[in-house]
Amino acid sequence: MNRPVALDTEQPVDERLLSLENSYSYSSDTLAYIQRAARYGLYDIRGLGAKRKLPNFDDLSFLTAGASRYPLEGYREKCTTKTVLGTRFAKKPIVLDTPITIAGMSFGALSANVKESLGRAATEMGTSTTTGDGGMTQEERGSSKTLIYQCLPSRYGFNPDDLRKADAIEMVIGQGAKPGGGGMLLGQKINPRVAKMRTLPEGVDQRSACRHPDWTGPDDLAIKLKELREITDWQVPIYIKVGATRTYQDVKLAVKAGADVVVVDGMQGGTAATQQVFIEHTGIPTLAATKLAVQALEDMDMRGTVQLIVSGGIRSGADVAKALAMGADAVAIGQGVLMALGCNSPFWWKGNQRVSAEADYHALGTAPGHCHHCQTGKCPVGVTTQDTVLEQRVQPDMGAKHVKNYLQTMNMELTTLARACGKSNVHHLEREDLVAMTVEAAAMAGLPLAGTSWIPGVNGC
Amino acid sequence: MESVNVAERTDSATRVSFDLTTASVRELNAFLHDPAKLAGIEQVTVLNPEGAHNLAVGVAAPIDIEIDGNAGYFIAGMNKQANVTVHGNVGWSVAENIMSGTVRVKGIASECAGASGHGGLLVIEGDASSRCGISMKGCDIVVGGSVGHMSAFMAQAGRMVVCGDAGGGLGDSLYEAVIYVRGTIHSLGADAQEEPMTDDDYAALTELLGKAGFDHDPKSFKRVASGRTLYHWNADAEQDY
């Protein structure tokens, strides 16, 4: 590994003569990018999601009750969070105790301990978790009461036995971090078990294709969905997941193809590894995608018939409440639950003791709070790794407890906001309960700017 | 022994038929998935398929299924154990994700035949269109005629035998699957290369041609496999991983 070395200067520099004017166009991040590109001749691959500043749910606020609205007592009166998904065609729709679900993440990107932790936490909270590009593990199926089985372009480990064990199927067309792109699990994360599940040699970089091998357009997709329904005897719901780009059209096509549930993943959504240029420069924010997806369902008169799950940068109970108020039926969370497990934390848990991981972050050339090195397989806190030593840094008992706590906290926040809006059911939250704090958010979310009735782009304004 | 219409089935019947002019695809597949209904059944015949999609998908039983005519997309998808024969042509993605058993197409197959197949044998007695064997993961495919462009794209494991010609971009981005071609290869895809035949290759070809029912001389085939130069995305780069 070659590190830049400090240049020796023959003469001391007189700092009083230096101009330290910053450049907006050539910021320190841009300089680092250019210097890195010049050195290696390759783009950067990394994990997690977009880091750029984007309009998001923080730019919305609730108009809770006052004289014109009647609130529910926050600590006494019941507010239901029951959520039903997949009522359109499936004989056995998914019934959850909360609208907060766990997004698809692969065994391979994550360790078996992490997958088990997620399954156990989801089960305790009465929600669902989702497989990923590595297929279904026994640990995950065993620990998850409600498990969604993804059908991805790579079809790594995909088989009809696991398909029939699933509680729902998610046909993945794209994801918010890299819509239109595939994935890459770099060789350093391919241990013998991962290699076997994916039918590839150990240590080989595994490309996850960007297109499905057996269908192309939406007309084929409709037939493909019927194949999956026939194989599972029309028992379980089928979701279609799209990365947020042309969301209005994509949601309409997903509905036409026969989806029970549409999952829309905004550009803040995470990944285990893809090109930085993809993560930061493709797709639209989750806020805008939610508005377009709801609009598509309403225009087809399918709202309530086809359920909508929104994902991509959902972090808190407030985010969940705002997504539901905008029209989502549920949300899916990926990065947030990884952070609950320790992602970007300065320490990991050994029993009840905290152990510093700072040295391992530094060895990766990063620090807690800045790490996105999921692709290396050297996760300092044992979340995104297959390393036999590192993976022990997440133990299922502690991991499940932390994820459950996080989900529980969000669920409490969600009901707190709903009650304050006078709702006894979180699904009764509505757009009328929201305003936007910025012009950009007002335009993207289709909500009035706070203190005005102005929705940019509506009625010629 | 003649097949009897499934609606007129008796306890002693071992061969039943579904006439798709009166029965639905749903009824056919539900029957094929139900161990109780399949008890004692050795063969199921599908009459008048008329290009219907999704016939005999997700079967996981050691029975013979005869499809008497042309059929549509995803025929015998995800097959396990069953021996399925189509007496006609098929649309896209026949035997996609096949796990075991045998699927035989007496006519020609459209695109993506055997896509992502994990095991078992797919035989296409006529030609197969483009992307035959795409992403295959351990199944065997024998094509009596020619295959279209980009066949065996990103194929991970298994063997594909082409008795005729292969279209452009054969074996692009191959992993560990091996392709045998008897006729002309219009072009090889990225990282695919012709390699010398070995005794193991001749033995494999003898086995596969025998199972498929072709009597070509194994010595008339060429071997195509991965050059393995794409196995690591940035092998020459100084990445700080």
Side-chain angles (χ1 to χ4, degrees), chain A residues 40-261:
Chain A
Y40 295 124
L42 288 166
Y43 46 53
D44 199 8
I45 284 185
R46 71 165 174 87
L48 297 182
K51 293 191 168 185
R52 63 193 292 182
K53 182 170 170 52
L54 293 166
N56 67 14
F57 289 110
D58 283 344
D59 298 322
L60 306 182
S61 184
F62 277 104
L63 303 179
T64 47
S68 59
R69 297 288 187 279
Y70 192 69
L72 297 187
E73 168 50 42
Y75 287 89
R76 292 288 182 271
E77 290 182 292
K78 189 166 176 57
C79 177
T80 185
T81 55
K82 180 182 174 183
T83 299
V84 183
L85 303 169
T87 55
R88 185 183 185 189
F89 294 121
K91 291 177 184 169
K92 295 178 183 170
I94 298 290
V95 181
L96 305 174
D97 294 335
T98 170
I100 308 169
T101 69
I102 296 179
M105 291 176 282
S106 75
F107 170 66
L110 307 182
S111 72
N113 280 354
V114 167
K115 291 300 273 181
E116 184 179 343
S117 301
L118 296 177
R120 284 168 57 175
T123 299
E124 287 185 47
M125 281 299 294
T127 190
S128 62
T129 186
T130 313
T131 66
D133 218 349
M136 183 189 291
T137 66
Q138 287 181 352
E139 293 95 328
E140 190 173 28
R141 178 62 277 187
S143 62
S144 309
K145 177 173 177 287
T146 305
L147 183 60
I148 318 302
Y149 188 43
Q150 287 192 327
C151 180
L152 291 124
S154 72
R155 305 289 165 87
Y156 289 140
F158 192 77
N159 69 78
D161 296 329
D162 289 341
L163 187 68
R164 282 185 276 257
K165 289 179 197 164
D167 299 295
I169 303 160
E170 184 169 286
M171 174 63 73
V172 179
I173 295 177
Q175 77 187 81
K178 47 188 176 183
M184 180 79 89
L185 190 65
L186 295 178
Q188 56 264 40
K189 292 184 81 168
I190 314 299
N191 70 14
R193 186 179 177 196
V194 173
K196 187 178 178 191
M197 282 182 73
R198 298 177 179 223
T199 327
L200 283 171
E202 284 178 43
V204 168
D205 292 345
Q206 296 183 353
R207 174 72 184 153
S208 295
C210 65
R211 299 189 304 265
H212 282 264
D214 55 348
W215 62 271
T216 54
D219 294 334
D220 299 348
L221 175 59
I223 305 169
K224 178 68 190 176
L225 293 199
K226 280 195 178 157
E227 184 209 18
L228 296 174
R229 289 200 191 280
E230 284 294 322
I231 290 172
T232 53
D233 292 308
W234 294 71
Q235 296 289 314
V236 299
I238 298 183
Y239 302 4
I240 293 181
K241 178 176 179 176
V242 292
T245 53
R246 296 173 181 83
T247 303
Y248 181 77
Q249 292 93 332
D250 286 351
V251 169
K252 279 191 154 185
L253 289 169
V255 171
K256 183 175 180 294
D260 293 298
V261 175

Side-chain angles (χ1 to χ4, degrees), chain A residues 2 40 161 205 227 233, chain B residues 26 80 96 156 232-233 238:
Chain A
N2 295 323
Y40 295 124
D161 296 329
D205 292 345
E227 184 209 18
D233 292 308
Chain B
R26 179 79 287 268
K80 278 183 79 174
E96 67 86 19
Q156 295 173 222
H232 295 281
W233 165 69
E238 255 189 289

